[in-house]
Amino acid sequence: MRRFQLFLVASTAIATGGMTGGVARAADDQPADQPNESTQLEQITVTATKRAERLQDVPVAVTALTADVLERNNIREIGDLTKLSPGLVVTYGSQPGNFVISMRGIGTFSNGIAVESDVAVVIDDVPLSYQAESFMDLIDVDRIEVLRGPQNTLFGKSAIAGVLNITTAAPTAEFTAKAMGYYTNDGEKRAGLTLSGPLSDTLRYRLTVDDSDYDGNVTNIYNGQKVNGSSGLTVSGKLQ
């Protein structure tokens, strides 16, 4: 059976001040011999060494995936990262406690919550306590860094194989809203909403809600119901 997907994204931004006029003046004042910024390569900033640096200046084995790359490749969960990161393997078991993230063939096959995973997952500089927590929907992500090799020194976890360093989007100075809808012909549904903006002159917020549901890919012939499905509700927030 062929699988069709329908993916819709809508966003809006409301800013104060003469932004349009400022951009127009800057474009008019640009010297004729200066190269156009749109023709230059994108500068990717990573925090793999606990400081903001350009990707080409970081002396570690890292694959940096920006928000645009994740959007274009429809990356919605940890398992989808294997399409973009060589050496990363995700194995699914009968329940989340049996799921395994492996890097270069090294992983932890254990459902004990006290067992340190060989591949650590860090979200906004906070390491997840055990591996089953990692298998969640990736929402409102600004950047994912796949670091290969031992990372024990900087990330505070016994990660002998590597680290998935996930950075979510920061609050914005102006009010923004983004809605997302996703539907497939085999019954998978997903909806998301992001709100961001200022609460005062010194405080900004960002709130994201994502709800997903999948009926399953196996039909129980006894009662006609679908099995082997999944559902999830993820809420994340930031104050800055």
Side-chain angles (χ1 to χ4, degrees):
M1 179 183 68
R2 301 187 91 180
R3 191 169 187 260
F4 300 94
Q5 300 178 356
L6 177 63
F7 182 73
L8 301 174
V9 174
S11 62
T12 182
I14 301 176
T16 58
M19 294 297 293
T20 303
V23 173
R25 287 192 296 271
D28 295 338
D29 297 339
Q30 185 178 12
D33 57 349
Q34 185 174 346
N36 193 339
E37 292 183 0
S38 61
T39 62
Q40 298 179 358
L41 293 177
E42 179 184 4
Q43 295 278 357
I44 300 178
T45 302
V46 298
T47 56
T49 57
K50 288 297 183 179
R51 58 175 60 91
E53 298 178 289
R54 295 189 307 167
L55 177 60
Q56 56 265 41
D57 296 335
V58 178
V60 295
V62 54
T63 299
L65 306 174
T66 62
D68 292 337
V69 173
L70 299 174
E71 192 72 34
R72 287 197 303 266
N73 291 274
N74 195 25
I75 304 300
R76 300 297 161 196
E77 57 185 24
I78 292 292
D80 297 332
L81 292 176
T82 58
K83 299 183 294 185
L84 301 178
S85 178
L88 182 66
V89 177
V90 177
T91 303
Y92 292 94
S94 58
Q95 55 183 343
N98 301 123
F99 296 171
V100 177
I101 303 176
S102 301
M103 193 87 69
R104 291 174 171 173
I106 302 175
T108 302
F109 293 87
S110 175
N111 60 359
I113 62 174
V115 178
E116 294 280 0
S117 173
D118 291 337
V119 179
V121 177
V122 179
I123 300 179
D124 290 332
D125 294 331
V126 178
L128 300 183
S129 58
Y130 65 104
Q131 188 167 251
E133 291 180 316
S134 309
F135 294 89
M136 63 180 68
D137 294 332
L138 295 174
I139 62 172
D140 205 28
V141 174
D142 181 66
R143 184 180 67 255
I144 296 180
E145 301 166 14
V146 182
L147 290 82
R148 296 177 288 276
Q151 308 292 331
N152 302 13
T153 304
L154 296 177
F155 289 93
K157 291 283 286 183
S158 180
I160 65 173
V163 166
L164 297 181
N165 187 27
I166 302 174
T167 303
T168 59
T172 56
E174 65 277 351
F175 176 76
T176 61
K178 180 179 179 181
M180 181 269 292
Y182 178 91
Y183 178 78
T184 66
N185 66 333
D186 60 351
E188 182 178 358
K189 301 174 287 294
R190 188 186 300 268
L193 176 66
T194 298
L195 300 175
S196 180
L199 290 175
S200 66
D201 294 339
T202 58
L203 185 63
R204 302 174 184 176
Y205 78 96
R206 191 175 188 93
L207 178 65
T208 301
V209 180
D210 182 86
D211 188 19
S212 62
D213 182 74
Y214 177 50
D215 296 333
N217 55 4
V218 178
T219 302
N220 187 336
I221 61 176
Y222 175 73
N223 54 20
Q225 295 181 352
K226 291 285 188 178
V227 296
N228 201 28
S230 63
S231 62
L233 175 64
T234 305
V235 180
S236 66
K238 276 187 176 183
L239 285 177
Q240 185 181 69

